Amino acid sequence: MAGAVRIGRAEGGRLRVIIPLNPDGSGGGSAPNVLDSAPGVDVAVLDVAGGHLTWSVLALEAAPAAVLDDVGLAQEWVWAVYGERVALALADANEAVTEAAPAQAVAEAEAEAAPALPGLVASARRLAFAHWAARWWPASLIDSIPALDERLLDQDIGDLTEECDLLFAAQETTDSHPPVRSYADTRADADADADTDVTPRATDYALAAGPASATADPEGGLTLARGTGGSDWRRYPPGLVDASERAVSWVVVRADARTTVTVNVVAAPGPPPAQPLLTPRAAVSGAADQLDFGLRLVADSWLGDAPFDHAGTGGPDPRGAGLAVDVYLPGFGTPGPPDDPAAQEAVRARVRDLARSRLARARAGGTSAGDSADGPGSLLRAEIAAASDDTDF
């Protein structure tokens, strides 16, 4: 990792930032940071002494961005991650602003980054990726992406945390690393009496979620419209919903003088808990009135339905065509659907491609050509185990 970085301030001068520059000296490179307006599903974050380091998992070879709330603590590792020139420039910029008096005063500087401890940076990247995988790994039965073993992933995080001790040495904490994927752990500790003889396969869900041309409901109703789609992963915790763009399906049926919309969301891979602690909801837009109703876990899917008001003219299609379903957990994550759903879908597709490529490398027996054993793309034990034990995918 080498290249120029810009050292500046944010939040009215309260925070210091280190932003990698593009090769031409412009922009902020490919690294996101924790001051971005909304979290991205491709962002890996590492909570370190005095601030945060961030990478995009789609560009782990790039330098991280840093947001610092305590420059004194951060200087314990800045020299190791960015090099002595950046550490000195950060100290000079911080001193200049301190003497300038106004909090809004901005002192910016540029310096060439060259990590003093490249091995530490490589371990930090892997640790950030492991934490990212605990939250964003796109496990999907439909798309044949196996879930990662929670215990192995926790071991990966623990070992890498020890390797990166310098980054956390000044932090006052009683835990070596925070717990991850608490809901997924709950799913893994399902009731021992649950039926384990029936193992769902990806093809079963692909058939269920695929398009259909039938117009008659099995119970005699008339199907007016149906559709499939994905969901915004930022709207619920891990271990809740299948990550596929075909995991969410809906159907509008007319039967017995009553029109109903039913939503079916494939649950995340893993044994379901006997009594779910967290239950998502579905917000359906495109009807005469916005619908919002709870979903219940039935077998391997979250199901819910509500009366569908198709009255009126000049508004939504009275048959229900063009509905949009937003799956979310109340009080969790971003407050509503993304401003640019297509852009978010594209990022999710790239994340799925990343997961597939890493699993493919694991099945091939190691890293790809040119990727060292401790490089930014080196595999976690949890990934290797998932790749070797995915016979149901």
Side-chain angles (χ1 to χ4, degrees):
M1 177 194 77
V5 298
R6 176 172 296 141
I7 301 166
R9 293 172 68 86
E11 297 289 314
R14 184 174 62 87
L15 303 176
R16 284 71 167 176
V17 295
I18 301 175
I19 304 297
L21 299 177
N22 291 319
D24 62 1
S26 65
S30 58
N33 67 75
V34 294
L35 299 179
D36 292 342
S37 58
V41 299
D42 64 321
V43 179
V45 181
L46 203 55
D47 184 359
V48 296
H52 296 83
L53 290 172
T54 48
W55 291 261
S56 168
V57 297
L58 302 173
L60 275 176
E61 72 283 354
V67 174
L68 312 176
D69 52 44
D70 190 322
V71 172
L73 288 179
Q75 285 286 28
E76 297 292 327
W77 54 262
V78 166
W79 64 273
V81 173
Y82 293 101
E84 184 178 356
R85 291 183 180 179
V86 174
L88 292 174
L90 175 63
D92 291 343
N94 189 54
E95 182 178 355
V97 170
T98 301
E99 294 175 351
Q104 290 76 16
V106 175
E108 289 195 351
E110 291 186 11
E112 196 69 20
L117 298 178
L120 173 67
V121 177
S123 294
R125 288 167 172 152
R126 294 189 69 210
L127 177 56
F129 181 84
H131 278 295
W132 172 88
R135 174 64 182 92
W136 300 112
W137 182 262
S140 171
L141 281 168
I142 299 173
D143 291 339
S144 301
I145 300 176
L148 301 182
D149 183 277
E150 303 293 335
R151 293 172 180 81
L152 283 178
L153 186 55
D154 198 51
Q155 289 175 19
D156 282 320
I157 291 174
D159 291 345
L160 289 166
T161 298
E162 291 184 10
E163 293 180 22
C164 298
D165 181 66
L166 177 63
L167 298 174
F168 318 108
Q171 287 181 315
E172 295 181 0
T173 177
T174 57
D175 297 322
S176 60
H177 56 277
V180 295
R181 301 184 76 179
S182 57
Y183 182 74
D185 290 334
T186 302
R187 291 178 64 85
D189 295 332
D191 185 0
D193 295 331
D195 182 7
T196 57
D197 294 332
V198 179
T199 304
R201 294 179 177 270
T203 51
D204 299 331
Y205 288 97
L207 290 172
S213 57
T215 58
D217 182 82
E219 296 183 1
L222 178 66
T223 298
L224 302 179
R226 63 174 64 209
T228 60
S231 59
D232 187 345
W233 302 343
R234 301 172 300 173
R235 301 278 275 145
Y236 45 79
L240 203 64
V241 172
D242 189 288
S244 174
E245 293 301 317
R246 297 178 292 156
V248 180
S249 59
W250 55 266
V251 60
V252 178
V253 174
R254 180 72 174 173
D256 298 328
R258 182 173 181 265
T259 304
T260 303
V261 58
T262 300
V263 172
N264 182 320
V265 183
V266 179
Q275 294 182 339
L277 300 178
L278 303 175
T279 56
R281 296 183 65 84
V284 181
S285 58
D289 296 310
Q290 172 119 352
L291 303 175
D292 193 303
F293 50 89
L295 303 175
R296 63 193 183 280
L297 188 61
V298 179
D300 298 303
S301 295
W302 297 98
L303 297 175
D305 56 70
F308 181 76
D309 182 7
H310 62 286
T313 58
D317 189 314
R319 297 169 299 173
L323 294 183
V325 178
D326 178 34
V327 180
Y328 73 100
L329 185 71
F332 187 93
T334 55
D339 294 334
D340 191 344
Q344 291 297 322
E345 182 177 338
V347 173
R348 294 195 296 268
R350 294 182 67 192
V351 168
R352 278 188 289 270
D353 288 343
L354 171 70
R356 291 190 186 98
S357 68
R358 292 178 68 93
L359 291 171
R361 284 200 285 122
R363 296 186 191 101
T367 57
S368 61
D371 188 20
S372 64
D374 60 352
S378 55
L379 301 169
L380 302 172
R381 284 174 295 187
E383 294 176 288
I384 295 171
S388 64
D389 188 26
D390 63 352
T391 54
D392 290 324
F393 289 85

